[in-house]
Amino acid sequence: MKHSDTCRADASDTAPGIPGVLGAEAMNRLRAGVLGANDGIVSVAAVVIAMGGARASSTAILLAGLAALIGGAVSMALGEYISVSSQRDAELDALRRRVDVARRADVVCRSAGVSEPAIENNIVSPFGAAFSSFFSFLAGGAVPFAASLLAPLGAIAPICFVVTVAALALTGWIAAWIGQVPPLRPTIRTAVGGTLGLALTFGIGALFGQVV
């Protein structure tokens, strides 16, 4: 066997995780998208329903919902960027150490095609995760906000509540479909959890509304 062939064979044995990281990038964006949409639905709906419980005016409810929609999307994107950046730094450091050790042992050579730029391109992107979280939060939060915007006066909170629970059930079903698991339990869990959270925020809004 030629020396270059040996290098290629050894390189594939010593860096098995590098090609597989491409799947991690797709899964990371998918995870961030589902999480962002779910957070957008719950966060915006909670603010709208809490304001409804406090018997605020329709204008105040819509302004609070809009602020929650924009602020939550920005916060979600920043948090995801920081989190994935830390993960990326750790993965890059680990892969660079592995490649450096392999090169010193003369296991990986230039003909194997394992280079630092290629490694960096295959690591999870913090920008991709941040953009995915930002737009998925906007998409999810737009559902209760649109329901509040289109609801007749005096019925914003109950209509937002019904639409939100239905949207959460849908995201639970989508998450189960993505994970290839039976959808009934995740769908019920997501809908029930959202219902309890919205009921709690409505109660807090009603309590503080009476105090004020």
Side-chain angles (χ1 to χ4, degrees):
M1 181 182 293
K2 295 181 180 180
H3 180 67
S4 59
D5 294 335
T6 304
C7 290
R8 291 190 183 95
D10 291 340
S12 62
D13 292 337
T14 56
I18 295 176
V21 179
L22 291 173
E25 169 71 10
M27 288 303 297
N28 179 71
R29 293 192 180 189
L30 189 59
R31 175 192 62 82
V34 173
L35 180 62
N38 194 75
D39 279 0
I41 294 171
V42 174
S43 298
V44 176
V47 171
V48 169
I49 290 177
M51 294 291 288
R55 297 184 179 180
S57 65
S58 299
T59 302
I61 293 175
L62 293 176
L63 285 176
L66 181 61
L69 179 64
I70 303 301
V74 173
S75 176
M76 188 77 180
L78 288 175
E80 194 70 19
Y81 176 81
I82 293 172
S83 175
V84 177
S85 292
S86 299
Q87 175 186 344
R88 177 185 173 88
D89 292 341
E91 290 181 355
L92 276 175
D93 183 67
L95 285 175
R96 284 169 179 164
R97 289 174 183 271
R98 288 172 56 190
V99 172
D100 185 59
V101 170
R103 283 173 176 166
R104 290 182 181 180
D106 198 27
V107 177
V108 177
C109 60
R110 293 183 180 273
S111 61
V114 180
S115 61
E116 187 169 301
I119 293 174
E120 293 185 357
N121 290 335
N122 289 334
I123 297 296
V124 173
S125 169
F127 289 103
F131 280 118
S132 178
S133 295
F134 180 82
F135 288 109
S136 60
F137 189 101
L138 282 181
V143 174
F145 182 75
S148 304
L149 189 63
L150 299 175
L153 297 178
I156 292 179
I159 289 179
C160 180
F161 181 88
V162 173
V163 171
T164 298
V165 173
L168 288 174
L170 179 60
T171 59
W173 183 88
I174 293 174
W177 177 75
I178 292 173
Q180 297 182 347
V181 297
L184 182 60
R185 182 175 296 179
T187 301
I188 294 176
R189 181 172 56 236
T190 306
V192 170
T195 300
L196 294 176
L198 295 179
L200 177 62
T201 57
F202 180 84
I204 293 175
L207 176 63
F208 280 92
Q210 292 178 358
V211 172
V212 175

